[in-house]
Amino acid sequence: MKGIGTSPGIALGNVLVYKEPEMVIEKKQVADVDEEIERLDKAIEIAIEQIEQLYEKTLETVGLKEAKIFNAHKMMMEDPEFIGDVKETIKSQGVNAEWAVKTIADKYIKMFENIEDEYLRERAVDLKDVSNRLLKILLGIESIDLSTLNDEYIIVAEDLTPSDTAQMDKEMVLGFITEIGGKTSHTSIMARTLEIPAISGVKGITNKTKNGDFVIIDGKEGLVLLNPSQEEIKTYKEKKERYEQFKLKLEDMKGKKSISKDGVKVEIAANIGTPKDVDNVIENDAEGIGLYRTEFLYMDSDKLPTEEEQFEAYKIVAERMEGKPVVIRTLDVGGDKDIPYLDLPKEMNPFLGYRAIRLCLDRKDMFKTQLRALLRASAFGNVKIMFPMISSIEEIRKAKKILEEAKEELRNKNIPFNEEIEVGIMVEIPAAAIHSDIFAKEVDFFSIGTNDLIQYTLAVDRGNQDISYLYNQYHPAVLKLIDMTIKNGHKEGIWVGMCGEAAGDEKLIPILLGMGLDEFSMSSSSILKARWIINNTSKEEIESMLDEVLSLPTAKDVEKFIDENILA
């Protein structure tokens, strides 16, 4: 069976099928709505106590970053909009608390599930976790405790919440397999931190297995072998041993430079969404931040963040990176990322519509506020500004003109900033890649955003499961655009980075090195492995194979070529 490998590693062991007790939620009319609201308030109080206990336990056994997930759960439990809607439903419909919680939670969960962005879509899982906790308390149902297992198991479940994962005893849970979930869910993030091999998206696994079955899971390949042969067991035991030895080697990468076997130095940086992500960046020894997504600052608020609020967030990151580069992307919303208070229009094709730099150039005051905050933060570290979704020279020039106005306003107030701050663009639209020879004359750097570049080049909606087979980073057309962008950037003497998922793809890293990519920006957990690959690859050797790679007809051919000629 095949799924999505969400946490690498190999595990062999007996299955424990984990099923939550069924919750039957019936709609009931209540005689006294005030009494029902009081019952809800008491349940919320208990839920918050449970979440605080989980925070403490996670802090002690996993780490601060993961513990903060439960701070977010607590905020959801106290969210005035969510809880206000539940209470209003009880009052207006005269219904029981369970029904009101389920109705409102389902509404919000559906909203999150329809968001295209994977990271935001996974927040539906957190809301489900929070609302289920509240429902169990209201219904008097006790959860199964995964912290008291008395033997080693591989957990098989339809889904696991962050709360389930936080309870796990790492010594007894060898790995887990779920039917749903993705790489960016908090459950997967926690599994990677705990170094528990995990696989998601294995449809029907709960019906195909039973307690006591023996199973092998390969968390990197997303492979599940149910009741394997003795030969398969022997093979995977050896593979597990090699993997454990390799993990020790990765720790040795800390403190080392990212230099190829033939002496070419590159930079391996991290992608972040909030200042709190910097802990992980430092822990994994990144050489900078290649993408700081500023939209979360706007999305976590019910109004536009002030210049001061933004300045503080950017300054924290700049200072903590202690002179290492921090590339901050200006606001990139619209498309799938809606912010209610911006009142963005509903569009037929939101990904091709009023979003990112298009929105910012239209709402100049909002844009200039962010640029002033970014410039002020540049006095506290090595900040660089990056404009997203650029498709024309006019957009670059307009954005730079507004940036110059922001600089002048700061000068007039004697507020310090870096006068030589570097300005770059994301190359994520085919027009930008094809025209990169011209665009390179206007900016200090390029950062190739592969997630959108693939989507727009191949005309594939990356959130549409029916055509997901067409979305492929090994597609020769995509690789040609990347190669063209790097060459054109270098001709004009500017550096070229990449901040999409492809930058951390173990198979593509050698190819990108051969093409001359200067900076690879990825999730923090991938940094040490990427450095190991770079340090064990010769740029010159890969460069000599590029013509053949780029002449291959299909994505499968490219992947096969890499497997047989580079990774073999």
Side-chain angles (χ1 to χ4, degrees):
M1 284 179 279
K2 194 91 168 65
I4 305 163
T6 53
S7 178
I10 291 166
L12 304 88
N14 291 317
V15 164
L16 175 68
V17 180
Y18 175 72
K19 283 186 180 169
E20 281 280 11
E22 190 182 356
M23 287 191 288
V24 180
I25 315 284
E26 293 178 347
K27 185 178 183 180
K28 294 177 184 172
Q29 297 299 314
V30 295
D32 187 338
V33 292
D34 291 335
E35 194 176 287
E36 199 62 12
I37 287 173
E38 192 179 329
R39 194 166 74 87
L40 174 72
D41 284 336
K42 279 182 185 169
I44 292 171
E45 199 177 311
I46 295 168
I48 289 172
E49 279 176 23
Q50 290 179 354
I51 292 170
E52 286 173 345
Q53 286 168 8
L54 275 172
Y55 174 89
E56 293 299 329
K57 181 176 178 184
T58 308
L59 183 64
E60 188 184 329
T61 58
V62 189
L64 178 62
K65 181 173 178 284
E66 291 70 23
K68 284 180 179 174
I69 292 168
F70 296 103
N71 273 343
H73 281 201
K74 189 179 170 187
M75 283 171 69
M76 283 182 188
M77 195 63 83
E78 294 172 331
D79 181 64
E81 192 173 350
F82 172 58
I83 297 301
D85 280 358
V86 173
K87 290 184 176 177
E88 182 54 36
T89 303
I90 295 173
K91 279 184 196 170
S92 61
Q93 297 185 29
V95 292
N96 52 326
E98 293 89 334
W99 181 262
V101 169
K102 181 83 169 56
T103 303
I104 299 302
D106 284 351
K107 183 181 86 173
Y108 282 95
I109 289 166
K110 192 174 177 187
M111 187 181 78
F112 276 111
E113 285 177 339
N114 285 332
I115 293 176
E116 207 72 33
D117 183 283
E118 189 183 0
Y119 180 88
L120 293 173
R121 196 168 60 242
E122 293 293 354
R123 303 292 70 78
V125 177
D126 292 291
L127 184 54
K128 206 178 285 182
D129 193 352
V130 167
S131 58
N132 280 351
R133 178 179 303 285
L134 194 52
L135 287 170
K136 282 180 204 164
I137 295 167
L138 287 165
L139 293 166
I141 295 173
E142 289 193 15
S143 293
I144 299 166
D145 190 351
L146 285 173
S147 67
T148 57
L149 299 178
N150 53 12
D151 209 346
E152 294 180 343
Y153 292 107
I154 290 176
I155 306 295
V156 169
E158 185 183 349
D159 192 14
L160 287 170
T161 64
S163 299
D164 294 326
T165 317
Q167 286 181 62
M168 286 178 183
D169 180 345
K170 192 183 165 188
E171 299 302 314
M172 296 299 174
V173 177
L174 304 175
F176 60 79
I177 314 163
T178 59
E179 296 204 14
I180 56 179
K183 282 190 177 182
T184 57
S185 71
H186 277 147
T187 300
S188 299
I189 291 168
M190 207 174 287
R192 288 195 287 274
T193 306
L194 286 165
E195 297 185 347
I196 297 176
I199 300 175
S200 298
V202 187
K203 289 182 182 172
I205 184 74
T206 51
N207 292 325
K208 290 173 184 168
T209 54
K210 60 182 185 302
N211 289 340
D213 278 343
F214 192 81
V215 71
I216 296 174
I217 63 173
D218 183 335
K220 181 187 168 195
E221 302 295 332
L223 199 63
V224 178
L225 283 81
L226 182 60
N227 295 321
S229 66
Q230 285 304 313
E231 194 178 338
E232 286 171 324
I233 291 172
K234 182 173 178 286
T235 301
Y236 274 88
K237 276 185 176 173
E238 289 168 359
K239 202 171 174 183
K240 185 173 188 292
E241 177 62 28
R242 288 198 299 274
Y243 178 75
E244 296 299 330
Q245 288 173 358
F246 179 64
K247 276 204 309 183
L248 291 175
K249 275 187 191 171
L250 289 186
E251 282 299 305
D252 292 342
M253 287 291 111
K254 285 185 181 174
K256 290 191 176 173
K257 304 243 181 239
S258 305
I259 301 178
S260 69
K261 275 166 74 177
D262 51 340
V264 177
K265 185 177 181 314
V266 299
E267 199 167 82
I268 301 186
N271 298 337
I272 66 165
T274 68
K276 69 184 181 194
D277 296 337
V278 178
D279 289 341
N280 227 13
V281 174
I282 294 170
E283 167 66 26
N284 285 285
D285 195 31
E287 289 153 280
I289 289 173
L291 173 64
Y292 178 179
R293 301 179 176 98
T294 58
E295 49 271 24
F296 295 112
L297 196 61
Y298 292 74
M299 296 171 86
D300 289 344
S301 175
D302 56 5
K303 60 178 175 47
L304 276 174
T306 64
E307 180 181 321
E308 202 58 29
E309 287 168 338
Q310 294 188 59
F311 163 64
E312 286 298 330
Y314 308 147
K315 175 174 169 259
I316 288 170
V317 175
E319 283 184 329
R320 291 204 62 200
M321 291 306 291
E322 299 179 333
K324 291 178 180 172
V326 178
V327 178
I328 306 183
R329 180 175 71 187
T330 56
L331 182 61
D332 183 8
V333 294
D336 58 333
K337 296 173 212 158
D338 188 23
I339 297 180
Y341 60 79
L342 287 182
D343 197 23
L344 299 176
K346 300 294 175 200
E347 300 176 276
M348 289 292 285
N349 294 302
F351 276 98
L352 304 179
Y354 186 61
R355 55 173 292 210
I357 197 68
R358 301 168 184 184
L359 168 72
C360 288
L361 293 177
D362 190 44
R363 300 194 183 184
K364 187 176 166 183
D365 287 347
M366 178 184 78
F367 188 38
K368 200 190 281 183
T369 299
Q370 181 176 36
L371 293 175
R372 277 196 306 267
L374 288 169
L375 287 168
R376 287 172 60 193
S378 71
F380 296 87
N382 187 5
V383 170
K384 303 171 195 295
I385 296 175
M386 179 163 69
F387 302 128
M389 213 192 170
I390 292 289
S391 62
S392 70
I393 290 286
E394 288 89 342
E395 286 171 333
I396 300 175
R397 291 177 180 166
K398 279 181 191 170
K400 284 168 65 178
K401 184 169 180 289
I402 298 170
L403 179 65
E404 286 307 313
E405 290 172 9
K407 285 182 178 177
E408 190 58 29
E409 288 172 10
L410 294 180
R411 284 188 201 107
N412 291 339
K413 292 180 182 174
N414 292 318
I415 297 174
F417 65 91
N418 176 11
E419 289 277 1
E420 304 302 319
I421 190 166
E422 286 186 32
V423 176
I425 60 166
M426 281 190 83
V427 176
E428 52 188 338
I429 294 176
I434 294 165
H435 214 36
S436 53
D437 55 337
I438 307 298
F439 284 17
K441 299 177 196 296
E442 300 278 336
V443 292
D444 301 306
F445 67 90
F446 287 152
S447 185
I448 303 169
T450 49
N451 296 352
D452 273 344
L453 184 63
I454 297 167
Q455 172 169 251
Y456 294 136
T457 302
L458 305 181
V460 178
D461 176 351
R462 60 190 163 107
N464 187 331
Q465 292 297 319
D466 294 334
I467 53 170
S468 61
Y469 66 95
L470 291 171
Y471 184 91
N472 196 312
Q473 57 212 32
Y474 303 108
H475 195 294
V478 173
L479 295 181
K480 282 178 182 171
L481 288 179
I482 291 171
D483 188 51
M484 181 190 293
T485 302
I486 295 171
K487 283 188 169 61
N488 283 334
H490 288 174
K491 273 183 200 164
E492 291 299 327
I494 67 170
W495 62 270
V496 183
M498 179 180 285
C499 55
E501 291 292 322
D505 183 322
E506 294 166 21
K507 291 185 182 180
L508 270 186
I509 287 172
I511 298 292
L512 298 171
L513 175 73
M515 288 177 176
L517 191 73
D518 302 292
E519 181 229 45
F520 298 66
S521 193
M522 59 195 70
S523 66
S524 294
S525 59
S526 302
I527 287 169
L528 295 178
K529 189 159 192 185
R531 183 171 296 152
W532 184 87
I533 294 169
I534 295 284
N535 289 17
N536 285 281
T537 305
S538 162
K539 177 179 183 288
E540 197 177 334
E541 277 178 26
I542 303 295
E543 211 170 359
S544 66
M545 302 179 192
L546 279 183
D547 284 346
E548 188 173 353
V549 171
L550 294 175
S551 67
L552 292 168
T554 71
K556 273 189 181 173
D557 291 327
V558 170
E559 202 172 355
K560 189 178 171 202
F561 181 92
I562 296 171
D563 285 339
E564 292 179 354
N565 297 282
I566 297 175
L567 302 179

